[in-house]
Amino acid sequence: MLVDLKWPEAAKDGDPEDVPSWRTLRYRDRRAVVAAALEKAGVKFAFYSGGITAANDILPAVKKSIDAGLSPDAALRALTLSTAEIFGVADVLGSIEKGKIANLVVTDGDLFDKKTKVKMVLWTGGSLKCANRCGQASRRRAT
């Protein structure tokens, strides 16, 4: 099952006089609980970015599910191995194993914590050392 990370929210340019129904408000409030319910039921699921357009919004969206009861381990799995398994590519992607393709992200703390900074990204054939932000980073090809 695929879980959309684009959580429902009120329209930013909506009519301020338009009061949403109780059902709409409840749906917005409870949507992030879906992943935790799937984890508890033992259902394999993966996150997808849906309508999220900025990469910086993905981890905060996952954090909403964690705050709603999803374990951080299940959240990471939903971004990696479960996704690869659902799409039938787990033999080459999704986990750190010999012979698999991987991008490794090194952080200075919990991946889902807002204050955590990415220190380095490693991939086959290269690395990216992050200074203040990964946008201002030094690239290095592996030799």
Side-chain angles (χ1 to χ4, degrees):
M1 173 172 276
L2 299 177
V3 176
D4 190 352
L5 286 172
K6 178 72 173 160
W7 307 121
E9 55 189 31
K12 292 186 183 1
D13 58 354
D15 180 359
E17 300 295 319
D18 184 21
V19 178
S21 69
W22 178 83
R23 182 178 182 164
T24 299
L25 291 172
R26 185 167 190 249
Y27 174 70
R28 286 182 199 152
D29 183 57
R30 302 289 297 161
R31 181 66 176 77
V33 177
V34 169
L38 292 172
E39 176 189 20
K40 185 176 180 181
V43 175
K44 184 183 297 183
F45 69 95
F47 288 126
Y48 73 99
S49 59
I52 294 177
T53 56
N56 289 343
D57 293 338
I58 292 174
L59 290 180
V62 174
K63 180 73 165 93
K64 282 185 182 179
S65 284
I66 293 170
D67 292 344
L70 180 66
S71 72
D73 287 345
L76 184 59
R77 193 177 207 289
L79 292 168
T80 57
L81 186 56
S82 290
T83 305
E85 290 170 345
I86 289 169
F87 286 103
V89 293
D91 57 329
V92 293
L93 297 172
S95 61
I96 304 168
E97 296 178 56
K98 185 177 180 176
K100 287 190 172 185
I101 301 167
N103 293 333
L104 303 177
V105 179
V106 180
T107 67
D108 65 358
D110 181 345
L111 179 63
F112 302 111
D113 187 325
K114 185 168 63 171
K115 295 178 183 176
T116 297
K117 292 184 177 42
V118 173
K119 293 301 196 179
M120 183 180 290
V121 179
L122 304 165
W123 67 91
T124 305
S127 66
L128 179 67
K129 231 181 208 177
C130 300
N132 296 333
R133 307 194 81 168
C134 267
Q136 307 164 341
S138 59
R139 295 176 185 258
R140 187 174 64 100
R141 296 254 336 133
T143 54

